[in-house]
Amino acid sequence: MDHHFDGKVCKIQAAVLRKKGGPLKIEAIEMEGPRDDEVLVRLVASGICRTDIDFCDDWDEADGAVVLGHEGAGVIERIGKNVKSVKSGDHVVLSYQSCGHCRQCRSGRPAHCKRFYEANFGFQRLDGSNGLQRSGVRGHFFGQSSFATHSLATERNLVKVSKDLPLELLAPLGCGLQTGAGTVINSLKVSHRASIAVFGTGAVGLAAVMAARLIGADPIIGVDIKPKRLKLALKLGATRVIDNRRQDVAGRIIDITGRGVDYVVETTGNPKMHQLAIAVLNPHGVVALLTGERGTDSLPEGRKTLGIIQGDAVPQHFIPKLIELYQAGKFPFDRLVKFYEFIDINRAIADAKNGDTIKPVLLISKA
Ligand SMILES: [Zn+2]
Ligand SMILES: [Zn+2]
């Protein structure tokens, strides 16, 4: 028996958000044990994603205290009695949650789950219950709330990985990297020699750049306002970069391509960049919006914009593929990662916000 778990209640530590904008405070709280379809995961690491930061900054205190975090990786400590695909001691990467029952889920498109919003942003299970209730806190963010020592997840949002791999490095595959790479590979199906521009070279944008290089897109144009990130984009596969603070992006794209680009991956969420993306698009070109905006079909000459969720990736297929590519040296996402101790979570968030760190990963326990 684990010392922190008596069969019903698990004593955990979690970074709790109680105030708009933070700081997050690491507190001792209590979590239910896993239900029949759940697993209890001891977290080894968690990435910090832009969505965590946005939630923190936009949080309404009237909504109570919550635990964020949705790029967890850890070791399974206990499983519910209906769990079949994993066992205690297995290493897992956590990803987004889906319902498993709607038409989209049943047809293998969980990123389009009808209940995607509630399952990931509802801060409760889909039946309305909440495993952190006894401490007056809400969890289940993306079916995990991974800014904690332990988490409840289900078979639908975990991916079993080899014990030979460093779990702490794999954590960010579950959201940001899957989204960026999945957009290029699954959603846009970018082809060899197609031209692509990536607006915003943070973790998601750089994952898109690496995926574009893998496919053989050319040119691959990285656009950002941080010279340091643009430099890294060049190392990871961008063939050209444009500093949006000093250069005219539209003019430069025309110079480079002679007309426009076939694809734009827009990660910045800035309405001006959205407009610019459409302006530099070739006929029949596509803008992928990774910013929560919906797409529209009403653009001239077959151009379109698509609102994309999680790069249309099925985590159990796509994450192992990204790991294989990483091992073959073709998806070197380790170059984006900087590790922080769990107690330094607020510093990690601050570093991500000011652009000093591309992908912060919290070290929570030893594998
Ligand atoms: Zn569903
Ligand atoms: Zn995310």
Side-chain angles (χ1 to χ4, degrees):
M1 171 110 3
D2 315 302
H3 63 280
H4 59 89
F5 186 55
D6 69 6
K8 280 210 175 90
V9 178
C10 184
K11 291 187 165 46
I12 73 168
Q13 304 228 319
V16 180
L17 172 65
R18 294 184 182 275
K19 232 176 94 196
K20 184 178 164 74
L24 305 180
K25 280 205 179 122
I26 299 185
E27 300 179 13
I29 61 172
E30 292 185 338
M31 185 169 78
E32 284 174 14
R35 294 194 170 181
D36 291 350
D37 64 337
E38 286 179 334
V39 301
L40 173 64
V41 179
R42 173 174 60 81
L43 290 155
V44 167
S46 176
I48 298 176
C49 174
R50 188 79 228 173
T51 307
D52 297 308
I53 297 172
D54 290 346
F55 254 83
C56 185
D57 287 345
D58 299 337
W59 188 241
D60 183 346
E61 286 156 39
D63 289 336
V66 296
V67 180
L68 299 168
H70 64 285
E71 290 182 342
V75 180
I76 294 189
E77 262 193 359
R78 191 169 290 255
I79 61 170
K81 68 171 196 258
N82 297 338
V83 171
K84 301 283 184 263
S85 61
V86 285
K87 58 181 191 308
S88 231
D90 281 350
H91 287 195
V92 291
V93 171
L94 304 181
S95 189
Y96 68 90
Q97 188 57 290
S98 55
C99 83
H101 302 292
C102 71
R103 208 173 64 179
Q104 299 290 1
C105 279
R106 281 186 286 124
S107 62
R109 293 154 55 90
H112 295 259
C113 175
K114 208 176 147 192
R115 303 181 75 187
F116 188 91
Y117 190 85
E118 329 165 46
N120 292 285
F121 303 109
F123 292 99
Q124 56 187 17
R125 297 184 183 92
L126 283 170
D127 68 3
S129 65
N130 162 31
L132 303 178
Q133 186 157 25
R134 65 171 61 230
S135 294
V137 177
R138 290 190 293 146
H140 305 283
F141 188 56
F142 280 76
Q144 48 178 299
S145 287
S146 60
F147 292 164
T149 54
H150 297 78
S151 167
L152 294 171
T154 72
E155 285 173 286
R156 293 196 59 74
N157 75 321
L158 63 78
V159 182
K160 188 177 159 180
V161 295
S162 160
K163 288 181 187 173
D164 302 334
L165 297 162
L167 266 178
E168 63 279 8
L169 181 60
L170 304 186
L173 290 173
C175 179
L177 301 178
Q178 163 171 277
T179 298
T183 295
V184 169
I185 295 169
N186 304 321
S187 314
L188 297 176
K189 297 184 172 66
V190 170
S191 51
H192 189 69
R193 313 285 299 170
S195 51
I196 182 168
V198 177
F199 288 2
T201 52
V204 173
L206 288 173
V209 164
M210 287 188 280
R213 174 173 69 176
L214 205 66
I215 283 170
D218 189 23
I220 302 167
I221 305 168
V223 179
D224 206 291
I225 55 174
K226 296 258 179 191
K228 197 175 129 192
R229 301 210 289 195
L230 291 172
K231 237 172 143 177
L232 184 57
L234 281 170
K235 288 185 183 144
L236 294 177
T239 58
R240 298 296 191 92
V241 291
I242 304 172
D243 184 336
N244 192 20
R245 275 189 311 194
R246 301 170 182 208
Q247 293 170 290
D248 163 30
V249 174
R252 285 290 297 136
I253 287 179
I254 306 299
D255 285 349
I256 294 166
T257 59
R259 37 182 204 159
V261 285
D262 301 325
Y263 300 99
V264 179
V265 176
E266 199 321 73
T267 73
T268 70
N270 178 336
K272 275 191 195 152
M273 296 307 282
H274 182 165
Q275 285 316 308
L276 184 62
I278 293 168
V280 298
L281 205 58
N282 286 335
H284 304 286
V286 186
V287 178
L289 300 168
L290 308 193
T291 53
E293 288 167 275
R294 301 177 85 92
T296 163
D297 288 326
S298 59
L299 299 172
E301 296 181 88
R303 295 173 178 89
K304 49 181 181 175
T305 60
L306 294 177
I308 290 170
I309 298 168
Q310 294 288 329
D312 291 296
V314 177
Q316 290 80 4
H317 299 156
F318 199 64
I319 289 174
K321 186 165 160 179
L322 292 180
I323 292 173
E324 252 175 55
L325 290 168
Y326 165 71
Q327 289 175 309
K330 293 177 177 169
F331 190 70
F333 70 93
D334 54 321
R335 304 197 53 180
L336 280 47
V337 168
K338 183 174 172 189
F339 294 110
Y340 294 79
E341 294 300 325
F342 189 28
I343 50 166
D344 295 327
I345 185 168
N346 292 299
R347 187 162 59 86
I349 289 173
D351 287 356
K353 271 171 119 163
N354 69 28
D356 283 349
T357 299
I358 292 174
K359 173 52 74 177
V361 173
L362 302 167
L363 298 172
I364 300 174
S365 69
K366 294 260 179 284

